[in-house]
Amino acid sequence: MRLSTKGRYSLEALVMLGFLSQGMHANISLKHISQETEISEGYLEQLFNKLKKSEILISKRGKDGGYQLAKPPSDITIGSIFRSVEGSLSPVKCLDTDCCDRSEFCLTRCFWTEINDEINQVIDTLVLSELIETYRKNLAIGDKS
Amino acid sequence: MRLSTKGRYSLEALVMLGFLSQGMHANISLKHISQETEISEGYLEQLFNKLKKSEILISKRGKDGGYQLAKPPSDITIGSIFRSVEGSLSPVKCLDTDCCDRSEFCLTRCFWTEINDEINQVIDTLVLSELIETYRKNLAIGDKS
DNA sequence: TCAAAACCTAGTAAAACGGTAGGTATTATG
DNA sequence: CATAATACCTACCGTTTTACTAGGTTTTGA
């Protein structure tokens, strides 16, 4: 039931990316995001690679290159981010691979499916723009104090 | 977000135990459960050890010894089973350890808390007796065909 | 041409996973 | 009292995953 750091880091990085590029169409470099989030550049690179393949990010190479969100952040669900970097999110493997041949397993499978659906419902409803907005607000509060 | 086999095995074993001991107060041996579930006896032993500590199981040693549920299965939530064998179920570690000092992290923490609550709500509402019942029904259907 | 960036490949230490092996302690029964 | 069945305990162990790091190549704008 535990997410690895991949999911958490990706989310933090994308929130940061979204925040930094708000309103503009500038490319944000890995270096920049790495500095802001304190996530190592190399590790971030691997995550961003996956996020590119999932069409959550686009990139531009060369000088002044960097990354941008491929879509408006209101179209990017948290679930799509997690699935992109973590692989399947289903609580047990046999939901993915259909490995069972006994009725006991079928029982638990039904049960896992239920849990799985509930989790997916949560993370596929929440959207990146909401988190960016929350971040912006948190930051404003932090500045005042 | 993925559960290891510990959670799945434990659940399967407890459903089986509950099913086998329905109505009676007999002790069910590890060997018996291992045979029915095809989970290795040694591995099962480790899981049952944890489930004992969580007061989900009780045991009796010596000949004719074995395990019983410590409470009626309607009082055993799936969540308590998972937590017993998997440790914390929170999606990210920083929910447990309070490791953050930056506002970004606080943002994500808020978010994780939300997801966490939803997951817990699902697994703490579902109860072992329901799964045993489902198993019993599945078995009946299997017998007919 | 040069510097900054993405892109690519490989390695790696540590932890977790999914067990196995082999013993000790306890208990009902013949 | 001996025995067999059981829980209980400790340790080990191969494999996979995690969370990185290192060191290069390619692209691009100025």
Side-chain angles (χ1 to χ4, degrees), chain B residues 60-126:
Chain B
K60 181 148 169 262
R61 303 180 70 165
K63 192 163 189 188
D64 298 333
Y67 292 89
Q68 287 183 47
L69 297 175
K71 310 178 257 192
S74 53
D75 290 353
I76 301 175
T77 68
I78 306 308
S80 70
I81 297 169
F82 287 170
R83 270 183 291 269
S84 173
V85 295
E86 301 260 2
S88 164
L89 295 177
S90 57
V92 293
K93 279 182 190 156
C94 75
L95 277 186
D96 304 321
T97 53
D98 196 47
C99 61
C100 317
D101 55 341
R102 295 163 65 241
S103 53
E104 296 89 337
F105 291 178
C106 181
L107 149 71
T108 45
R109 181 146 57 166
C110 290
F111 167 64
W112 297 125
T113 305
E114 189 178 325
I115 292 190
N116 202 28
D117 290 348
E118 301 252 13
I119 292 173
N120 282 334
Q121 220 244 311
V122 178
I123 62 177
D124 286 333
T125 317
L126 235 161

Side-chain angles (χ1 to χ4, degrees), chain B residues 19-31:
Chain B
F19 173 74
L20 291 175
S21 59
Q22 223 159 23
M24 326 179 278
H25 284 274
N27 296 305
I28 314 285
S29 68
L30 272 182
K31 198 177 170 188

Side-chain angles (χ1 to χ4, degrees), chain B residues 13-77:
Chain B
L14 288 178
V15 167
M16 184 54 69
L17 176 65
F19 173 74
L20 291 175
S21 59
Q22 223 159 23
M24 326 179 278
H25 284 274
N27 296 305
I28 314 285
S29 68
L30 272 182
K31 198 177 170 188
H32 192 169
I33 295 180
S34 167
Q35 281 165 354
E36 294 291 332
T37 57
E38 291 176 3
I39 302 165
S40 90
E41 212 175 318
Y43 198 41
L44 215 43
E45 190 187 309
Q46 293 174 37
L47 300 175
F48 274 28
N49 206 330
K50 292 184 181 180
L51 292 167
K52 268 197 68 176
K53 282 179 188 149
S54 315
E55 296 177 343
I56 290 167
L57 286 178
I58 50 174
S59 62
K60 181 148 169 262
R61 303 180 70 165
K63 192 163 189 188
D64 298 333
Y67 292 89
Q68 287 183 47
L69 297 175
K71 310 178 257 192
S74 53
D75 290 353
I76 301 175
T77 68

